[in-house]
Amino acid sequence: NAGVTQTPKFQVLKTGQSMTLQCAQDMNHNSMYWYRQDPGMGLRLIYYSASEGTTDKGEVPNGYNVSRLNKREFSLRLESAAPSQTSVYFCASSPGTGFSAKNIQYFGAGTRLSVL
Amino acid sequence: QKEVEQDPGPLSVPEGAIVSLNCTYSNSAFQYFMWYRQYSRKGPELLMYTYSSGNKEDGRFTAQVDKSSKYISLFIRDSQPSDSATYLCAMSWDNYGQNFVFGPGTRLSVLP
């Protein structure tokens, strides 16, 4: 019963390097999300995918791209990393939307990224 | 003014104490309210999920929503050292995950 799995758990990059954060969920959820968490700021939405085949920008999308590879997987790419992208990144998934259902988000354990 | 505010703490209490954690918000359209618990170096996990106003109880946890004051609370009775974590509130005007707004969290330490 894995839930939401994120890889890698830790990463150190140099300014200008690129990398992809991977996320997979095994709960057959329709919606997936990428957040970043910075001290004192709370969780901020970077991108989300409401359903397979769609992606949309969240609150802080600049410097990131995403791919919803299939229903299970949602990746986040940093094309040219900057020190301001040093953060903890969380992937989450939820069943979807609907006023009669609890649209609970389930989170992965996070990726701790440092950009030097 | 931030849309959702929480006292960051840290809040330290002795084991067995009643803990009160609070969030204030500015958007009167919010009607879905959640509390998440986040242990150190882990992802947030949902504790309580309420719709509109009122109280909801689950074991040692009680969530309270006062929409007229734009204020929500989480009470923990008989607090345990295992309750030591950061508590995040989250809220939304609809049930769409991309519209959830998270508070910055309050760090709680329950001392044995």
Side-chain angles (χ1 to χ4, degrees):
Chain A
N1 189 4
V4 178
T5 302
Q6 289 184 239
T7 55
K9 288 184 168 46
F10 303 95
Q11 185 71 49
V12 178
L13 292 178
K14 293 181 180 178
T15 297
Q17 287 186 316
S18 62
M19 77 161 296
T20 300
L21 282 65
Q22 307 286 353
C23 176
Q25 52 92 8
D26 63 2
M27 295 173 282
N28 199 36
H29 284 169
N30 290 308
S31 300
M32 297 185 74
Y33 314 84
W34 276 106
Y35 291 92
R36 59 180 289 172
Q37 186 176 39
D38 301 293
M41 300 289 292
L43 288 161
R44 292 184 293 168
L45 185 65
I46 304 171
Y47 270 94
Y48 67 97
S49 172
S51 60
E52 185 179 358
T54 69
T55 61
D56 282 290
K57 295 177 181 179
E59 180 185 355
V60 288
N62 291 346
Y64 306 95
N65 284 299
V66 291
S67 295
R68 183 76 182 265
L69 303 169
N70 47 55
K71 192 171 186 179
R72 290 186 65 248
E73 298 172 287
F74 189 38
S75 62
L76 178 71
R77 182 158 178 86
L78 287 71
E79 290 291 352
S80 179
S84 60
Q85 295 178 304
T86 294
S87 188
V88 182
Y89 291 86
F90 288 100
C91 177
S93 71
S94 70
T97 58
F99 290 97
S100 62
K102 288 183 181 179
N103 194 24
I104 298 169
Q105 292 190 350
Y106 295 84
F107 287 82
T111 295
R112 280 154 186 81
L113 175 67
S114 291
V115 183
L116 306 178
Chain B
Q1 182 189 9
K2 291 183 181 177
E3 204 164 11
V4 177
E5 303 211 42
Q6 279 184 268
D7 186 329
L11 177 63
S12 294
V13 300
E15 183 176 354
I18 296 174
V19 176
S20 172
L21 303 166
N22 310 298
C23 282
T24 58
Y25 62 94
S26 57
N27 189 340
S28 58
F30 287 148
Q31 52 181 349
Y32 294 86
F33 302 93
M34 291 142 277
W35 284 97
Y36 284 83
R37 178 175 61 197
Q38 184 176 20
Y39 290 116
S40 180
R41 298 192 172 273
K42 300 289 187 184
E45 56 178 337
L46 184 73
L47 270 181
M48 303 287 281
Y49 188 111
T50 56
Y51 171 71
S52 195
S53 287
N55 293 358
K56 184 173 182 180
E57 191 172 317
D58 184 0
R60 297 184 296 110
F61 299 92
T62 299
Q64 198 171 74
V65 175
D66 183 349
K67 291 181 71 179
S68 62
S69 301
K70 299 195 190 76
Y71 189 89
I72 69 170
S73 301
L74 178 71
F75 297 96
I76 307 174
R77 289 183 300 281
D78 187 26
S79 56
Q80 302 295 309
S82 58
D83 295 327
S84 297
T86 297
Y87 290 80
L88 312 173
C89 62
M91 48 198 77
S92 174
W93 56 89
D94 58 19
N95 202 23
Y96 291 74
Q98 60 266 29
N99 295 326
F100 290 179
V101 180
F102 287 82
T106 298
R107 189 154 56 96
L108 171 68
S109 291
V110 181
L111 307 174

